[in-house]
Amino acid sequence: MSLPPLVEPASELSVDEVRRYSRHLIIPDVGMDGQKRLKNAKVLCVGAGGLGSPALLYLAAAGVGTLGIIDFDVVDESNLQRQIIHGQSDVGRPKAESAAASVREINPLIDVIVHNEALSNDNVMDIFSGYDLIVDGTDNFATRYMVNDAAVLLGKPYVWGSIYRFDGQASVFWAEHGPCYRCLYPEPPPPGMVPSCAEGGVLGVLCASIGSIQVNEAIKLIAGIGEPLVGRLMIYDALEMNYRSVKVRKDPECPLCGKNPTITELLDDYEAFCGAISEEAADATKDSTITATELKDLLDNGDIFLVDVREPNEYEIVNIPGATLIPKGEFLSGAALERLPQDKRVVLHCKSGARSAECLAIVKNAGFSDAAHLGGGVLAWINQIEPDKPAY
Amino acid sequence: MSSISVRIPTILRSYTGGEAEVKATGSTVREVVADLDANYSGIAARILDDNGKIRRFVNVYVGEEDVRFADGLDTPTPDGAQISIIPAVAGG
């Protein structure tokens, strides 16, 4: 299925633009017409992180005339392993501004719009309405469902990519011509079921593999060339080194883009739709969450059994002295319970407090009623007790 | 019994000892998942919910086709078919 060009061509290219884009112009499929369409295109990249970094750099270099960047975060040292749009001297700087500076350096002939804010229910419709196409480089389910819903409601194509460790997925969602994200994944996973990159890690260069697919698809849609990735899911396995595609069907029962939609405006609360932690975990942590300072006192006095529920490789990076490693999987399977002492108070911790909250619900359910978890996880411990240790 | 190859996503490879592709038998998706669980205990619970239905954030494909749009767990798996298990991930 080929689609007509998304964007009308600009009236002309300047001499500087002809020089700069000559390698595009001599490709017959792109040519002056395609490059003029790129010049007239307004593309918003949501997130200037792992996927946003290569996506923004290539969109800018390709001559997309108006490039929007939205990100609320600041550059952290742990970003630099993959977020190549930022450099060492950008640490601490807002990502949107740092990314804009790199983009302007790559291509001064385009307009860059900086949205140094979080995308939210209050601004998403307004911001999206100024663009022709949305490239998604966000890192959580709540924002992805919000981006999808807004894109469908506004009739915009949504170029989607997602990564985890060595696996990448990409597709183009455009309800007018095919399925939307909800047709592919009707519901987000319950909290704790699917780890984020912050919990599970990601191979830095995977971002480039998937981000470049997204730019490739954005360019094709804008110029109206080739076979767009509408109705197909591209699956990349970096370890096996293969790309496979499967069909994505438009779900006639989709609550958003199906025949009888029940979602006709944005949800009130996407965080709640995706759940930061499960209800059971939230209940378990009530009055059972301790601070790093409290943990230090408890450890100094002896009488607790501290359990690190992270993975062994995370334990190796940094750990709290005296902690016993029992990964979360062993709590899910139940095997962990017999390793817990009956005569000591059990305290759980993970990286930032989400996984330990899920485990706490299991432990309390098994009768360890005085069990607790460390709010903020090992990151809070490093921050408050052992600042010389590395955060990750 | 059909012999099926099953693609295992990174997130579930802890169940298969790191294997990205494993063999299973069964003439429907349901049978294949049961056979998988017999060899890789616990993996079925990551694919199916407590009611035995495919979880809404996991897609199962026979070849290129999403079984949600075929016969679900009763979708036939002919000999030599490739099944892919594709969970939603949100990293970026």
Side-chain angles (χ1 to χ4, degrees):
Chain A
M1 174 185 65
S2 60
L3 293 173
L6 177 67
V7 178
E8 290 300 311
S11 57
E12 58 178 11
L13 296 182
S14 69
V15 173
D16 284 345
E17 286 168 334
V18 170
R19 284 199 194 104
R20 174 176 283 261
Y21 304 124
S22 65
R23 296 299 185 279
H24 273 171
L25 301 178
I26 56 181
I27 305 174
D29 304 85
V30 181
M32 286 293 277
D33 182 74
Q35 195 64 48
K36 285 178 184 171
R37 292 183 195 276
L38 289 171
K39 180 178 179 177
N40 232 7
K42 298 181 173 72
V43 172
L44 176 69
C45 186
V46 184
L51 293 172
S53 287
L56 283 163
L57 293 173
Y58 272 111
L59 288 165
V64 168
T66 303
L67 201 47
I69 307 169
I70 179 160
D71 202 309
F72 67 94
D73 208 0
V74 296
V75 180
D76 181 81
E77 216 164 357
S78 69
N79 299 149
L80 301 179
Q81 154 264 18
R82 65 196 180 286
Q83 300 181 15
I84 55 167
I85 205 166
H86 314 296
Q88 183 65 45
S89 63
D90 295 315
V91 170
R93 191 178 181 196
K95 284 187 180 179
E97 287 174 19
S98 164
S102 299
V103 159
R104 290 191 182 106
E105 175 63 20
I106 293 238
N107 191 346
L109 305 183
I110 63 169
D111 292 328
V112 183
I113 301 174
V114 175
H115 304 276
N116 189 5
E117 59 190 315
L119 194 66
S120 72
N121 274 27
D122 298 331
N123 62 19
V124 62
M125 299 297 271
D126 201 32
I127 291 174
F128 279 19
S129 61
Y131 295 92
D132 302 307
L133 177 149
I134 314 299
V135 172
D136 184 2
T138 57
D139 64 357
N140 63 85
F141 286 105
T143 312
R144 288 178 183 280
Y145 278 94
M146 179 172 71
V147 168
N148 175 70
D149 292 1
V152 170
L153 294 171
L154 291 166
K156 312 267 181 194
Y158 168 34
V159 182
W160 173 87
S162 192
I163 50 177
Y164 178 74
R165 289 193 179 162
F166 295 99
D167 285 354
Q169 301 177 12
S171 190
V172 173
F173 300 115
W174 195 359
E176 283 171 37
H177 299 284
C180 81
Y181 182 53
R182 286 178 183 269
C183 299
L184 177 63
Y185 294 116
E187 283 172 16
M193 201 86 181
V194 174
S196 67
C197 289
E199 286 169 359
V202 60
L203 186 71
V205 71
L206 179 66
C207 302
S209 308
I210 299 301
S212 63
I213 290 177
Q214 292 180 275
V215 174
N216 188 62
E217 293 307 308
I219 290 172
K220 283 160 58 185
L221 291 172
I222 291 164
I225 56 176
E227 290 286 316
L229 196 54
V230 172
R232 287 185 292 150
L233 173 67
M234 187 59 73
I235 302 158
Y236 173 56
D237 183 328
L239 280 183
E240 299 277 304
M241 188 42 75
N242 63 36
Y243 288 90
R244 292 176 305 123
S245 77
V246 293
K247 286 180 194 158
V248 184
R249 294 192 185 274
K250 191 174 181 72
D251 185 353
E253 306 300 320
C254 177
L256 182 67
C257 77
K259 283 177 190 149
N260 299 301
T262 52
I263 301 171
T264 53
E265 54 185 56
L266 294 177
L267 302 185
D268 290 336
D269 189 344
Y270 283 90
E271 292 290 344
F273 174 61
C274 296
I277 56 173
S278 71
E279 233 168 272
E280 294 84 4
D283 284 348
T285 59
K286 271 179 205 150
D287 303 320
S288 299
T289 300
I290 63 170
T291 66
T293 319
E294 286 167 342
L295 175 61
K296 174 89 170 55
D297 290 343
L298 288 169
L299 283 170
D300 288 346
N301 294 332
D303 294 325
I304 64 159
F305 185 72
L306 180 63
V307 181
D308 185 338
V309 306
R310 297 175 302 158
E311 299 302 313
N313 51 332
E314 295 181 86
Y315 185 85
E316 214 174 285
I317 296 168
V318 63
N319 57 65
I320 298 177
T324 302
L325 178 69
I326 309 179
K328 184 182 142 194
E330 295 189 32
F331 286 88
L332 294 177
S333 73
L337 295 171
E338 60 196 46
R339 295 180 58 187
L340 303 179
Q342 299 288 344
D343 56 342
K344 281 187 172 176
R345 186 180 182 196
V346 174
V347 177
L348 310 173
H349 87 83
C350 62
K351 181 181 180 185
S352 59
R355 280 174 284 174
S356 58
E358 301 292 338
C359 294
L360 183 61
I362 295 168
V363 168
K364 283 192 150 186
N365 220 7
F368 295 85
S369 56
D370 65 346
H373 88 134
L374 170 62
V378 71
L379 294 181
W381 174 270
I382 294 166
N383 190 16
Q384 289 159 42
I385 309 295
E386 293 191 277
D388 291 339
K389 286 190 170 175
Y392 67 102
Chain B
M1 268 301 171
S2 311
S3 173
I4 310 296
S5 65
V6 184
R7 300 279 316 172
I8 306 293
T10 307
I11 216 162
L12 296 182
R13 283 182 203 160
S14 55
Y15 292 89
T16 60
E19 288 298 314
E21 185 165 321
V22 299
K23 292 285 176 198
T25 58
S27 52
T28 62
V29 172
R30 189 189 310 278
E31 290 176 12
V32 170
V33 172
D35 184 57
L36 270 185
D37 200 63
N39 291 313
Y40 309 104
S41 179
I43 199 167
R46 301 292 299 272
I47 303 166
L48 309 178
D49 65 18
D50 294 343
N51 301 316
K53 292 194 173 142
I54 297 174
R55 292 179 179 277
R56 302 272 282 170
F57 60 92
V58 176
N59 290 335
V60 178
Y61 298 83
V62 175
E64 276 200 8
E65 295 290 341
D66 184 343
V67 302
R68 250 188 323 127
F69 296 96
D71 295 323
L73 285 168
D74 296 320
T75 304
T77 49
D79 195 39
Q82 183 170 63
I83 290 188
S84 305
I85 302 163
I86 311 292
V89 292

